[in-house]
Amino acid sequence: MIKNPYLGKFIAFEGLDGSGQSTQAGLLTDFLVEKGLEVVLTKEPTRNSEAGKKIRQVLDKNTRVEPGYLQELFTQDRKEHLDKLIIPSLEENKIVISDRYFFSTFAYGVSDGLDLEWLIKNNSEFLVPDLTVILKVRPEVCLERIEKRGNAKTLFEETKKLEKVWQTYAILPKRIKNVYIIEGERPIDEIFEDIKSQVRSKLNL
Ligand code: ADP
């Protein structure tokens, strides 16, 4: 994996769906813009690339595709995201904040039965963010927040699946540099205070 050699800083938010990534990414964007910095707020999967469009189709229709193929699509989409938006912005000294990045491929891919080392290898040519925040929120709380309704069994299965996703998130700080887990079951502003202090101490912003 490649250390960011560019002028700008690259920050990623990760976690289970409903953990508050977009909320915190939005708050951090506003905060840094107010300080007069140029910020590009972005998201994976993108909506622009061919791979991103295919991913959308799969996710929206809830169709099942082979997990390895799905993660290859995410990886292709990521390559284009880096080449067309993230790297050009970093070269221009901008701060790039991405709502999800390759950590999602690792966590969701492993939960679908894929091998972590294979997934890491497929993403080994990509930039490592200067700071990654993984929001820790229990699956049942995430599901409540996104008001996912269903019968008890579905909810139970969904909780089990997300617990599996979390198991990989939990080990990523040991595998990849500059990754921090932040307790996300707190009021939004309290979480954001912690994120700001990470951004201050790690990135000098
Ligand atoms: P994600 O991007 O991780 O899927 P969102 O930021 O969209 O999550 O948040 C999902 C829902 O949870 C939203 O309705 C949001 O307002 C709410 N939410 C986000 N952070 C918190 C928090 N710390 N406490 C309670 N609710 C939250």
Side-chain angles (χ1 to χ4, degrees), residues 13 20-32 41 97 99 192:
F13 282 91
Q21 302 157 82
S22 7
T23 304
Q24 296 296 333
L27 286 173
L28 185 60
T29 301
D30 294 346
F31 173 74
L32 295 174
L41 175 61
I97 300 180
D99 180 347
F192 185 53

Side-chain angles (χ1 to χ4, degrees), residues 16-23 99 145-146 184 186-188 191:
L16 303 178
D17 280 331
S19 61
Q21 302 157 82
S22 7
T23 304
D99 180 347
R145 282 187 190 172
I146 53 185
R186 293 182 293 157
I188 289 171
I191 301 167

Side-chain angles (χ1 to χ4, degrees), residues 175-192:
R175 285 295 303 263
I176 300 170
K177 280 196 178 148
N178 304 319
V179 181
Y180 302 91
I181 292 178
I182 288 190
E183 184 51 64
E185 288 184 35
R186 293 182 293 157
I188 289 171
D189 53 345
E190 224 178 88
I191 301 167
F192 185 53

Side-chain angles (χ1 to χ4, degrees), residues 32-135:
L32 295 174
V33 166
E34 261 176 44
K35 288 179 82 158
L37 297 163
E38 275 196 276
V39 183
V40 176
L41 175 61
T42 182
K43 189 176 177 62
E44 288 193 4
T46 75
R47 298 192 165 273
N48 317 329
S49 76
E50 281 311 308
K53 284 178 196 152
K54 284 186 196 153
I55 294 167
R56 276 281 145 229
Q57 282 174 1
V58 173
L59 297 182
D60 291 347
K61 284 193 203 140
N62 245 329
T63 42
R64 270 207 58 84
V65 293
E66 205 265 305
Y69 170 69
L70 180 62
Q71 292 313 327
E72 274 169 9
L73 287 179
F74 273 100
T75 302
Q76 274 173 34
D77 177 51
R78 184 162 303 125
K79 177 157 179 27
E80 210 168 310
H81 193 201
L82 279 157
D83 290 345
K84 293 204 169 145
L85 181 69
I86 298 175
I87 291 174
S89 305
L90 294 173
E91 280 174 339
E92 289 172 5
N93 198 15
K94 292 178 183 160
I95 295 165
V96 177
I97 300 180
S98 188
D99 180 347
R100 297 195 175 280
Y101 188 56
F102 56 31
F103 307 88
S104 293
T105 284
F106 305 152
Y108 285 84
V110 170
S111 84
D112 274 335
L114 300 172
D115 176 43
L116 178 60
E117 303 313 319
W118 180 76
L119 293 164
I120 290 181
K121 191 172 124 277
N122 290 348
N123 285 264
S124 61
E125 300 299 309
F126 296 156
L127 286 184
V128 180
D130 300 291
L131 174 67
T132 300
V133 170
I134 302 178
L135 292 163

